Amino acid sequence: MTVTHDWAAGLDQADQTAFDEALAFTRRADIGGVLACLLPGLDEQRRTSVASHCALAHTAVLVFPASCGELVARLRETGLTVAEPVPSVVVRDRLAARHRVPAGDLDVSIVRVRLPLGEHSGRVVELFVLPVPPGSPLARIAERERIERNESHLALEVGTQDAVVLAGLCTLADQGGLTPDGGGHNAMEDCTVLYFRSTGTGTVHPEHQRRLELRVPGQHPAVLAAHLAQTMDEPVKRLQKLMTGAWTTQAIAVAAELGLPDRLPARAGELAEQLGVDPDALARLLRYLAATGLVAPQGDGYTLTATGEPLRRAAEHSLHPVALLYGGLFYQSFGALAHAVRTGREGFAEVFGQGLFGYLAEHPDQAALFDAAMAASTPMFEPVPELADLGDARVVVDIAGGNGELLSRFLNHDPRLRGVLVEQAHVLERARTHLADAGCADRCELVAGDFTRGMPADGDVYLLSRVLHDWDDEQCLAILRNCAASVRPGGRLLIVERLLPVDGRAAMAVAWDLHMLCTMGSRERTAEHYERLLVAAGFDLVSVHDLPLDGGLLQAVRRPAGPVGPRPAAA
């Protein structure tokens, strides 16, 4: 729970919120939970080792009051114990470098706010204070830093000055998922400061837990120099790694095309002979795949890692067809991303002369690959029937349900249910086989049709799984209104989609949103965006649940017959 303090009159609300959040976190945090969040790449034993040398010192945020002295006075008026401000050389220099201003123009202070007695009284919230009076040219720095929170962090006090232990802590931070992010020697406190930041590999952190500060008493020039050298190299290396991402996509696709994952473990020379490829070139590909973590050296050969294992054709929910699709049609489509960004229209049609689904209808081999790739995401469906509020439902209508995977899960979940699958005729042939294999074909009617024009009426539950993200808002609204016209009043509509986050956290939907723009000229949406569309179509959104693979389940109920809502506002 955030504890608010009325100390910030005249101060930006974002600053007060940042302080209140830091204060609340400092009150409840424990070293084990902090390390588990900050260092997800370490196992419990190594985190315990880190904890044995460190103690939680403070939580830090950067704020921008009009006056540092006035801020200190207001804090003290609330009863908080506040130390006198001291200069902050490290943060001042970091701000100066980041915003390209002379360090002398930045009067940055540290204001330490100590927790009251009985509330981890040794802990502190550390405020970095850069005064920004009204009209100050520093307002642009404050605006950017409030958004990015570059200086928000947690600090651990290191209880040893042993150089070997310090080097070990830096190594463990790297192994745990952090990367060097500057530092220095604070002469005022005779303390060496080493900053690290999260690599953002999918782990969601509160804003103040994206960065870590290790505080080591005394001067440690060798440790600091090594840390700063890594910091200087890191941005360039990180950018270069991002720019070579297309190489990784193609390396994985070629490995899948050759069938490498199905032949490992094996020696490179034997593989080259079996596949009829150049031995030296294959050895170089395997070495690259090892650098990405998909394979690992084993003797004079290679074996698959846990990350590479899903590339086997026989793996459950194999990603083999996904690798081929991403390295094939979708890879070529992304070559027209600039066209999509400039025009808002899909890059796929620019490359192939027609939309994705039209192309697939004319190329059965690619359509089969597409279906197989989509099947790799079926773990997303696992909890859906259990989460769905079926009530007394008897008929489930799956709109554009592909091979019927989700529908079969509903029918096997509740033997009282009868299903209707609406798809294009050539897709229904593949669905017929899948439903028979799932043992529920006798309870499912297959209907060939265009769901954008109409759909079977009087179903109790309608399913739209990964359908709406293929369409723009106007087309989505038309589809939802078709559903509203078909489902009985009080009936349910279940939507499965990846939902865009609203808090800036890392999520698969962010990448898929750009993918949908380039491939379909469409988009992913937030839950709130979908709710606006649902209301306009005559539904009420009643629940949202998280699903595996960053999926989301939205459940909506058809309102009693009557006028539908207004056209939703633009996102």
Side-chain angles (χ1 to χ4, degrees), residues 38 111 115 127 133 224 286 360-361 372 404 453 466 480 539 550:
L38 274 171
V111 174
L115 292 187
L127 295 178
L224 180 60
L286 285 165
L360 294 178
R453 298 180 180 276
R466 297 181 298 177
L480 291 173
F539 290 95
D550 271 9

Side-chain angles (χ1 to χ4, degrees), residues 14 39 78 107 127-128 182 234 243 268 270 273 287 324 373 415 431-432 436 452 530 559 561:
L39 303 172
T78 69
D107 182 18
L127 295 178
F128 299 126
E234 183 60 28
M243 290 192 296
E270 292 176 350
E273 185 175 350
R287 184 171 58 202
L324 296 177
R432 196 183 312 276
T452 63
Y530 278 119
R559 291 198 300 271

